[in-house]
Every structure is written in structure tokens, then in C-alpha cells.
């Protein structure tokens, strides 16, 4: 199954609050919205991808709890990016400084912030090009480090702010570099 994209005509844009309420009313759907207002209905993941997403989030959450300099998020969190897009990475992290600058209401709904770090895991139904475009969108909106994990090819695309992407072939671990000092993702549980 591929994502379903509903083109939103410019004459009838959906407001941020309407999009939020649409998501709340349809919790069984994973919805995203592009910067130009088109709605994306993401298909549910299969068992293997769901398990791998859990392993990603688990490793990030364990490190986040120990490190204490930021907070992590799972794939059900939707962020409102500066360009107006509303996206849900498979895992994300935001520094405490940036998170605490948001109001409690902003934290409760779809936080109007781009994560400092994101992970996207390509599922068998995902086309690579839209995921690469989504990764670039995160970078263009202020993300500092992003990993696109392509299980099908056993590759990882590393996106860094202001740099060309780097492609690693079959790595066993990934480093959080200077964005997440000390974080190491063990890919043994992901491949």
C-alpha cells in the first residue's frame, strides 16, 4: 500500500485547527499535510516494520532518559514545520531548550517546531524518492541530523544541516554525532 494524497484546492485551505481536529476525529489514520496543504493518508505498517520502528524508538528513548538534554518522540507525533508542512517522523528528538520555549498548548497539540534529529525507516511499501524529499524537507526546516534507514538495500542515508547526504552501506551502528553526543543506534535489531 502506498500513501494516499488528497490534493487540497487553494480556494478551500484547511486551517491548522481543522487539521488537528481531523486527526483527532480519525485517530486510526496516520495523517500528514504538505506545505502546500495536500493531505497524506499513510498506510499502517506491517508487523516487521512496526517491530523495527519500536526498536528505533526504544533505543532513542533509553538514551534520552539517560542523557537528559532533550526529549524523544515516536511515530505518532506530528510536528508543524516552519514551512507549514505537518510531518510525523518515525522517531525524533528535540533539545530541552527548544522544547521548553513552547507554550503548554503548543506542546500538547502539534508542536510548531522542527525536531533537531529525526529517523525515517523505509517500509516495503514506501517509495524511496518521497522519503528522500521528506528528509530534505526536515533539513530545510532546521533539522540538524537525520537518518533514512533503507532496510531493503541495507543502506542508511545520513542528512546533516548544510551538507550533502552521506550513504553508508550495511553499517552495524550509527552515531548521534554532535547533535546527540554519546547516542549510538545498534542496527542489529533494525536490519
Amino acid at each position: 500500500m502506498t500513501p494516499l494524497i488528497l490534493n487540497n484546492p487553494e480556494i478551500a485551505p484547511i486551517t491548522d485547527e481543522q487539521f488537528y481536529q481531523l486527526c483527532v476525529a480519525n485517530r486510526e489514520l496516520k495523517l500528514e499535510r504538505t506545505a502546500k496543504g495536500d493531505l497524506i493518508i499513510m498506510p499502517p505498517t506491517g508487523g516487521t516494520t512496526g517491530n523495527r520502528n519500536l526498536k528505533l524508538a526504544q533505543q532513542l528513548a533509553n538514551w534520552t532518559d539517560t542523557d537528559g538534554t532533550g526529549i524523544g518522540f515516536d511515530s505518532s507525533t506530528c510536528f508543524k514545520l516552519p514551512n507549514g508542512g505537518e510531518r510525523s517522523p518515525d522517531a525524533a528528538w528535540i533539545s530541552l531548550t527548544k522544547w521548553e520555549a513552547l507554550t503548554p498548548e503548543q506542546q500538547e497539540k502539534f508542536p510548531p517546531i522542527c525536531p533537531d534529529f529525526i529517523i525515517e525507516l523505509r517500509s516495503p511499501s514506501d517509495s524511496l524518492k518521497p522519503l528522500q524529499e521528506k528528509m530534505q524537507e526536515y533539513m530545510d526546516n532546521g533539522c540538524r541530523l537525520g537518518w533514512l534507514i533503507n532496510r531493503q538495500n541495507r543502506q542508511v542515508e545520513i542528512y546533516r544541516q548544510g551538507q550533502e547526504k552521506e550513504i553508508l552501506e550495511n553499517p552495524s551502528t550509527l552515531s548521534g554525532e554532535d547533535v546527540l553526543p554519546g547516542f549510538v543506534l545498534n542496527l542489529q535489531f533494525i536490519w
Side-chain angles (χ1 to χ4, degrees):
M1 295 173 50
T2 58
L4 176 63
I5 299 175
L6 300 175
N7 297 315
N8 188 34
E10 292 181 17
I11 58 169
I14 296 174
T15 67
D16 292 347
E17 182 61 26
Q18 289 170 330
F19 179 68
Y20 178 77
Q21 292 302 326
L22 180 67
C23 293
V24 169
N26 295 281
R27 291 188 185 276
E28 69 283 359
L29 297 176
K30 184 175 179 183
L31 300 172
E32 291 185 341
R33 185 166 60 156
T34 68
K36 67 179 192 173
D38 294 339
L39 297 178
I40 303 170
I41 303 172
M42 309 295 288
T45 63
T48 301
T49 300
N51 175 262
R52 299 316 191 267
N53 277 335
L54 174 67
K55 298 294 184 183
L56 289 172
Q58 176 186 29
Q59 290 184 62
L60 180 61
N62 290 343
W63 176 83
T64 299
D65 289 346
T66 301
D67 178 69
T69 61
I71 60 172
F73 301 89
D74 71 2
S75 63
S76 62
T77 308
C78 187
F79 296 96
K80 180 160 183 59
L81 303 178
N83 72 350
E86 290 169 291
R87 300 297 195 157
S88 299
D90 290 323
W93 181 88
I94 297 175
S95 71
L96 274 179
T97 305
K98 285 175 67 174
W99 180 251
E100 290 173 348
L102 300 175
T103 67
E105 182 182 7
Q106 289 173 321
Q107 292 175 352
E108 187 64 33
K109 290 190 174 184
F110 298 155
I113 193 169
C114 184
D116 294 297
F117 168 74
I118 62 100
I119 303 173
E120 286 287 352
L121 178 64
R122 182 182 180 200
S123 66
S125 63
D126 288 334
S127 296
L128 187 56
K129 186 169 174 32
L131 282 176
Q132 291 170 326
E133 291 169 353
K134 189 175 176 183
M135 294 298 292
Q136 191 57 54
E137 181 179 17
Y138 288 124
M139 293 299 115
D140 292 345
N141 279 274
C143 184
R144 295 170 48 210
L145 178 65
W147 299 335
L148 172 53
I149 301 173
N150 184 346
R151 290 183 53 239
Q152 292 87 325
N153 297 352
R154 294 183 75 95
Q155 290 180 332
V156 176
E157 295 183 9
I158 300 176
Y159 292 76
R160 297 176 182 96
Q161 190 61 232
Q163 297 180 33
E164 291 294 318
K165 74 178 173 189
E166 177 183 3
I167 299 176
L168 301 178
E169 301 288 338
N170 198 26
S172 58
T173 61
L174 295 171
S175 165
E177 303 176 3
D178 62 341
V179 178
L180 304 166
F183 176 56
V184 177
L185 180 70
N186 184 346
L187 288 166
Q188 164 190 342
F189 303 108
I190 311 305
W191 296 131

